[in-house]
Amino acid sequence: MTTPPLARIRNIGIISHIDAGKTTVSERILYYTGEIHKMGEVHDGEAVMDWMPQEQERGITITATASSCYWRDCRINLIDTPGHIDFTIEVERSMRVLDGGIAILSAVEGVQPQTESVWRQADRYRVPRICFINKMDRIGADFTAVLTAMESRLKARVVPVQLPLGNEADFSGVIDLLKEELVLFSDADQGMTVERLPIPPEYLEEATMARNLVVEAAADFDDAVLADYLAGVKLPAERLLPALRTATLSCSICLVFCGAALRNKGIQPLLDGVVDFLPSPSDVPPVRGLTGGGDAVTLSCDPASPLVAFAFKVLAEEGRRLTFLRIYSGSLRNGSTIFNSSRGAFERADRLFHMHAHKREQITEAAAGDIVAVTGMKKTLTGDTLCEFHHRLILDGLAVPEPVVSVAVEAKGAEDRERLPGALEKLQWEDPTFRVHEDAETGQTILTGMGELHLEIITDRLTREYGITVKTGPPRVMYRETLRQPVTWRETFSQEVNGRLQKGEVLLSLRPLPRGEGLRIILPPPEGLPLPPEMRVALEESLRHVCASGVRTGYPFADLEVQAVEVPFEPGVTTELGIKAAAHRGFTLAAQQASPVVLEPVMALEIITPAEHAGRVLGQIQQKRGRVEGLAGASENEVIHAQVPLSEMFGYMTELRSATKGMGSFTMQFDHFQVANDEIQKGFGLV
């Protein structure tokens, strides 16, 4: 099918907490748009969008999956993202390239921890979104309570454009407030037939009040609508749609739909909402980029302009790379040679594809506004910019969260040992939150990731996809090191190396920062630091290298400002190696004098437990050095919000199931670093 005009393209993502129903909604979207002819269910391991064996076995989404479909002559490029916090990078990179989003919430659980996380990610990238309250047929479903939670916890201005008809087992359809109709979905053909009827009399008063709120929201963004509303003029849906679309595109409101995806109810109106309210590529603000000289420029979404594309995902398929691109400007054809401005290398786009989960549809050309997969690129990684050599630009990259858990792995056989480094490199192509390094003391290979599940999936993939059997050690916490007090240190290096005298001198100032500030390295401006450019680069590299490996713990420094106050330079005497050695040794000696201290990661937990077991669960939290942040009731359960150090959380699911007779569940995500207790400090010899 030919590429539709920009106004008829929607690049959207489906985001939510785990188990809210993202993949089930995605399956229905593909079914009702005619992209697939049989709906697969997550619980049967047959969902099209969950194609990895691990996804099918566990019933969770692990990797963001792209697909394309058509609705009302619009092409919808759809990305189904994971809900588990361990795979948050999949949401982050999807948000970076999407124009709009569907946020899915469970009508029973409402706003959950990962809901808040993905909502903040969408806010950060200014992604307009509509909301779908799913599972209206479940026991405990409460449409109004979810709206209230969205307003209080997400700080969103929610505007319901639908009301549920019935609740829990009696849920049978939705009331369309814009068109003032009852919408029913046939059970005979899996919801394919949609019937529109007058609103039942018993719902008229409630629907009229709710519609007035929709009209008031539209009036806030359209003066003509406001004037007619104040004059008492009846406003049809056609008058309200443009104002509501304007408000949605500016992220000022979130329109709310509802349904029960598993029972095939509510999906077609949601698709109408995607077309009516979410942006096309030409609706979003111009993308910002930097020229080689550091000048900021903006890019309009124009197929006739020079090519600029962003690589947001890399897959290793049978040893070869499949690179996913969002094209922001220009067009790309099969066999084109393009320039990777992030790495200064030329790449070749051998073949282009539209993806349908893991299946490919080959195309010959893609243009601005499109999302495609490309084969043939050998050096491009996530976050790189691709462009024309004579119009070089670099787009803003990704915010990559820091991994907090590590395990040691060891290949079982000699053949496995030889193949392990290559397989790990391919897995790192795909996942910026997955890191590999060798322990300098033990020689072990250390894998670092976002959580136990993340690393479990990595080691499972080594066996399934690469045929490499590995043994793993127990998970370990990724601590951080920082300083308790500021220090200034002058260091001079003068030593003969390989027959040449290497000299360098630095005056360093180290200053601890508040928690969460990260690492800050400051060099004097070029005019105040008369170093040749290559020595300036070497100085910063040396400081970053020593900060990455710690001084007393082997863990990276955090919440620290490192400033090179003076770097005397004597032409013909000062050397690059001398500068690097002075900076490295000076930092190490200075840090040892400034009371180094260990920081440990603290996780935010949401625990759901039957009320009769809540006391036992609270006791567990106290034993784990945790702090309870709040308690709330949800149906017959208690919802406990707490913060607990990560080091106490390994194996917690087993403990929780034991304490709640198998009925408790929890989710957690990284929250902040704090100074570790004396026992941990002693383990590193710091007390």
Side-chain angles (χ1 to χ4, degrees):
M1 190 174 287
T2 58
T3 300
L6 283 177
R8 311 302 295 172
I9 293 176
R10 301 289 184 272
N11 294 314
I12 67 165
I14 298 187
I15 58 174
S16 82
H17 185 91
I18 191 170
D19 284 340
K22 291 182 306 300
T23 301
T24 303
V25 170
S26 299
E27 291 291 308
R28 269 64 186 170
I29 287 175
L30 295 179
Y31 180 71
Y32 295 131
T33 57
E35 191 60 40
I36 60 175
H37 302 291
K38 177 181 179 295
M39 285 185 284
E41 304 297 356
V42 174
H43 53 265
D44 294 331
E46 295 179 354
V48 172
M49 299 294 269
D50 284 349
W51 58 271
M52 290 175 65
Q54 296 94 329
E55 294 177 317
Q56 295 168 352
E57 291 170 6
R58 298 166 186 261
I60 62 172
T61 301
I62 292 170
T63 181
T65 308
S67 191
S68 297
C69 57
Y70 285 82
W71 185 257
R72 284 173 42 190
D73 296 326
C74 271
R75 185 170 76 222
I76 299 174
N77 293 321
L78 174 71
I79 296 182
D80 176 24
T81 65
H84 199 289
I85 187 63
D86 282 19
F87 311 111
T88 188
I89 186 61
E90 296 289 339
V91 183
E92 186 77 28
R93 59 177 157 203
S94 298
M95 286 296 168
R96 172 64 179 77
V97 299
L98 292 172
D99 299 328
I102 302 174
I104 300 182
L105 286 82
S106 165
V108 181
E109 288 84 9
V111 177
Q112 297 171 275
Q114 186 65 356
T115 313
E116 296 185 71
S117 295
V118 297
W119 197 270
R120 285 195 298 269
Q121 287 172 303
D123 281 342
R124 186 161 62 246
Y125 290 111
R126 298 289 296 167
V127 176
R129 70 220 78 139
I130 58 178
C131 180
F132 183 71
I133 298 180
N134 192 25
K135 304 187 180 181
M136 287 303 309
D137 59 324
R138 286 262 309 275
I139 294 174
D142 191 332
F143 183 74
T144 304
V146 178
L147 296 178
T148 303
M150 289 179 68
E151 289 176 336
S152 61
R153 293 179 61 179
L154 303 180
K155 303 296 185 281
R157 181 181 177 183
V158 295
V159 179
V161 290
Q162 292 178 346
L163 293 179
L165 183 75
N167 202 40
E168 299 183 345
D170 296 328
F171 175 73
S172 56
V174 299
I175 296 171
D176 184 335
L177 297 176
L178 289 169
K179 295 182 179 178
E180 298 181 279
E181 295 174 334
L182 171 64
V183 186
L184 298 177
F185 308 88
S186 171
D187 292 328
D189 57 2
Q190 295 184 298
M192 185 68 79
T193 300
V194 178
E195 189 177 6
R196 289 183 173 270
L197 302 169
I199 298 175
E202 63 269 27
Y203 284 92
L204 270 175
E205 183 179 352
E206 182 185 0
T208 300
M209 292 174 60
R211 191 178 196 274
N212 285 339
L213 296 177
V214 178
V215 176
E216 288 174 11
D220 287 343
F221 298 90
D222 188 313
D223 291 342
V225 170
L226 176 61
D228 285 349
Y229 174 60
L230 294 176
V233 176
K234 178 73 173 176
L235 289 158
E238 295 73 30
R239 289 285 311 281
L240 301 177
L241 286 177
L244 294 174
R245 178 179 174 81
T246 298
T248 302
L249 297 189
S250 65
C251 297
S252 301
I253 65 172
C254 180
L255 301 178
V256 180
F257 298 75
C258 63
L262 194 60
R263 287 179 58 190
N264 310 314
K265 299 186 188 303
I267 302 302
Q268 293 94 328
L270 180 66
L271 280 164
D272 287 335
V274 169
V275 173
D276 290 335
F277 302 116
L278 291 182
S280 72
S282 56
D283 291 321
V284 297
V287 176
R288 177 180 173 276
L290 294 176
T291 66
D295 297 325
V297 295
T298 55
L299 297 171
S300 58
C301 190
D302 181 4
S305 297
L307 173 71
V308 179
F310 183 81
F312 68 96
K313 184 178 175 71
V314 178
L315 276 181
E317 283 197 338
E318 300 175 355
R320 292 188 295 273
R321 298 190 193 210
L322 185 65
T323 307
F324 287 74
L325 302 180
R326 165 66 193 266
I327 302 176
Y328 283 105
S329 174
S331 59
L332 180 63
R333 292 186 63 84
N334 278 338
S336 301
T337 298
I338 50 180
F339 186 67
N340 184 327
S341 55
S342 302
R343 303 190 180 276
F346 285 97
E347 292 278 33
R348 180 179 169 84
D350 287 341
R351 291 187 292 168
L352 275 60
F353 302 93
H354 279 145
M355 297 300 293
H356 303 279
H358 65 301
K359 297 178 181 177
R360 308 176 186 180
E361 173 198 348
Q362 187 167 352
I363 57 176
T364 57
E365 185 176 12
D370 212 347
I371 291 177
V372 294
V374 182
T375 58
M377 296 190 175
K378 295 180 169 57
K379 298 178 182 177
T380 299
L381 295 176
T382 298
D384 287 357
T385 302
L386 296 148
C387 57
E388 295 180 10
F389 181 72
H390 297 295
H391 294 87
R392 280 172 275 183
L393 286 177
I394 294 183
L395 302 176
D396 292 338
L398 281 173
V400 179
E402 283 296 311
V404 292
V405 177
S406 66
V407 294
V409 298
E410 181 183 334
K412 284 192 174 179
E415 185 181 342
D416 288 339
R417 273 195 298 274
E418 289 179 7
R419 293 190 293 128
L420 180 61
L424 291 175
E425 181 185 8
K426 292 181 176 68
L427 291 171
Q428 286 184 94
W429 291 350
E430 299 185 7
D431 189 347
T433 61
F434 172 54
R435 316 277 171 83
V436 180
H437 72 275
E438 186 175 292
D439 189 300
E441 294 182 7
T442 65
Q444 289 179 308
T445 299
I446 307 296
L447 313 184
T448 306
M450 297 300 295
E452 288 181 90
L453 178 61
H454 186 198
L455 295 175
E456 189 180 322
I457 295 295
I458 291 286
T459 54
D460 189 35
R461 290 185 64 191
L462 284 172
T463 302
R464 291 182 193 246
E465 297 175 26
Y466 297 96
I468 299 171
T469 306
V470 295
K471 296 183 291 184
T472 60
R476 302 189 305 181
V477 177
M478 286 298 291
Y479 295 101
R480 294 292 185 270
E481 190 172 338
T482 193
L483 303 179
R484 291 186 187 271
Q485 60 194 46
V487 63
T488 300
W489 189 274
R490 184 179 294 276
E491 183 65 28
T492 302
F493 181 86
S494 180
Q495 190 172 320
E496 190 173 297
V497 179
N498 294 329
R500 185 187 173 192
L501 183 63
Q502 306 286 347
K503 295 191 70 172
E505 182 181 345
V506 294
L507 176 62
L508 299 176
S509 170
L510 279 55
R511 182 172 69 91
L513 297 174
R515 295 289 82 84
E517 290 292 311
L519 178 67
R520 193 183 302 159
I521 294 179
I522 301 175
L523 303 184
E527 58 271 17
L529 183 61
L531 282 178
E534 63 273 13
M535 289 191 183
R536 186 183 177 87
V537 171
L539 170 62
E540 183 172 358
E541 284 181 352
S542 181
L543 291 173
R544 289 198 181 279
H545 182 266
V546 69
C547 288
S549 55
V551 168
R552 299 288 296 276
T553 65
Y555 291 104
F557 271 91
D559 303 336
L560 180 68
E561 179 184 278
V562 183
Q563 183 174 5
V565 182
E566 293 178 14
V567 189
F569 174 68
E570 188 177 347
V573 177
T574 303
T575 64
E576 184 176 319
L577 181 59
I579 291 283
K580 292 175 71 172
H584 193 285
R585 190 167 72 184
F587 179 94
T588 302
L589 295 174
Q592 290 173 347
Q593 299 294 317
S595 302
V597 65
V598 177
L599 302 176
E600 64 175 341
V602 176
M603 312 302 285
L605 269 68
E606 182 181 86
I607 305 168
I608 300 175
T609 173
E612 63 266 27
H613 302 305
R616 195 173 294 116
V617 173
L618 290 169
Q620 285 181 335
I621 292 171
Q622 290 179 333
Q623 291 173 358
K624 293 179 176 298
R625 299 189 286 126
R627 186 175 75 246
V628 176
E629 299 284 299
L631 290 167
S635 189
E636 298 175 358
N637 293 324
E638 288 283 353
V639 181
I640 301 170
H641 295 274
Q643 293 190 345
V644 182
L646 174 61
S647 59
E648 304 283 352
M649 291 304 299
F650 296 126
Y652 178 60
M653 180 54 82
T654 303
E655 297 177 41
L656 180 63
R657 285 175 177 159
S658 175
T660 61
K661 297 183 178 177
M663 300 174 70
S665 64
F666 80 98
T667 56
M668 72 175 183
Q669 60 186 21
F670 170 74
D671 192 80
H672 66 279
F673 280 97
Q674 70 179 19
V675 175
N677 63 8
D678 287 348
E679 185 177 344
I680 293 174
Q681 304 290 346
K682 284 178 184 175
F684 289 104
L686 293 176
V687 173

